Amino acid sequence: MAASADHLSVPAAGGGADLPPLTLSRTNPTAPCIHVCAFSGDSDMLVAGWLRVAGDAVTSKTAVTAWADFREQLSVDPALNIRRGDTLRARKLAAGQGRPRPSSTRRGPSKAEQWGYRHVLRRGLTAIASLPGTTVGTARTGPATPTATEAVLKRLAKDAGPSVSGAAVIRTTAATASWYDLATASPLAVDRHSDTAAHISAGTDSLLEAAEFVAYCAYQFLARRYNRRFLWEWLPELLPDATKPINL
């Protein structure tokens, strides 16, 4: 399902990793927009999904706060057993995987609870549609190859425009996400001891969850996997602007 681990692989269903603060390159000391991108797919087709967060929504953290509010709603939902700090993975949710309710004596979730977890994906797409200062995009990259990240970066740079500087964070594995300067498509140096751009990176790991929701639902919209037919039309219904992935 994956290319070389040193380059690109399809995200697994297991947890993720927090991103440390970063220092932007001297040629791009600020980033008016941030693209948060994740991949989903199989060995035959890979789909990228991203959120384009405008500069004011980045600095004010309104998009991050809105996603945190969505997660808080899940944590207090009595029909679920999602705890604060849990990592939301689209593939696991689509499979109905999760804990049974605290009052249950079952070892795993009931069928009703499984559908509750599946509908977290739908609820997430609804939340993404209303994230402040945020637009959504998708791209089909074909088979998983090491050039997929490069192709997506070129597309994101085009999306940002030649006169707009920006940065992108792209999750290439379940535990790996890298920052890039869109002006040069080059990696941004990470400095764990600097808070120069902490306001940009803080909370972006949570928005990668949202980007993965988009990527996974876009993949299922295209792949039409029968066992996931219940969510085929969620993307066109809730995020219609993202239903025609660009072929890269």
Side-chain angles (χ1 to χ4, degrees):
M1 285 182 63
S4 167
D6 293 332
H7 295 282
L8 175 68
S9 64
V10 178
D18 290 341
L19 296 175
L22 67 147
T23 299
L24 297 179
S25 63
R26 293 181 180 179
T27 59
N28 184 19
T30 60
C33 68
I34 296 292
H35 288 76
V36 184
C37 179
F39 288 100
S40 187
D42 54 34
S43 59
D44 296 321
M45 178 174 62
L46 197 65
V47 177
W50 64 81
L51 312 179
R52 184 183 189 272
V53 187
D56 56 349
V58 172
T59 55
S60 65
K61 299 183 182 179
T62 54
V64 169
T65 300
W67 188 253
D69 290 342
F70 161 68
R71 290 179 54 90
E72 180 65 19
Q73 293 171 15
L74 299 179
S75 71
V76 298
D77 189 334
L80 302 169
N81 189 356
I82 294 178
R83 302 167 187 171
R84 295 178 180 89
D86 281 353
T87 299
L88 303 178
R89 301 313 305 266
R91 288 178 180 273
K92 283 191 171 185
L93 292 169
Q97 296 179 25
R99 305 182 189 92
R101 281 174 284 190
S103 59
S104 174
T105 58
R106 298 172 58 95
R107 297 185 62 181
S110 66
K111 287 186 177 180
E113 290 167 338
Q114 288 174 359
W115 279 108
Y117 285 113
R118 291 184 178 110
H119 273 265
V120 169
L121 272 174
R122 181 179 176 87
R123 294 166 65 176
L125 293 181
T126 301
I128 291 166
S130 60
L131 289 179
T134 302
T135 56
V136 179
T138 59
R140 178 176 176 170
T141 67
T145 67
T147 60
T149 297
E150 180 182 352
V152 169
L153 280 171
K154 288 180 179 178
R155 174 62 208 183
L156 297 184
K158 182 179 180 180
D159 179 37
S163 61
V164 178
S165 61
V169 56
I170 299 179
R171 173 181 281 167
T172 52
T173 70
T176 304
S178 302
W179 284 88
Y180 298 89
D181 184 335
L182 285 182
T184 62
S186 59
L188 288 170
V190 173
D191 183 351
R192 295 178 183 272
H193 304 291
S194 172
D195 60 358
T196 304
H199 68 284
I200 292 175
S201 60
T204 307
D205 52 310
S206 67
L207 290 183
L208 281 167
E209 290 181 337
E212 186 182 310
F213 276 35
V214 174
Y216 182 80
C217 290
Y219 164 67
Q220 293 296 345
F221 171 71
L222 290 171
R224 316 302 269 190
R225 301 302 184 204
Y226 185 76
N227 64 343
R228 297 293 179 262
R229 61 193 180 280
F230 60 88
L231 59 75
W232 285 356
E233 302 305 322
W234 288 358
L235 191 74
E237 178 187 349
L238 301 172
L239 292 171
D241 292 340
T243 56
K244 296 182 179 179
I246 303 160
N247 287 316
L248 298 180

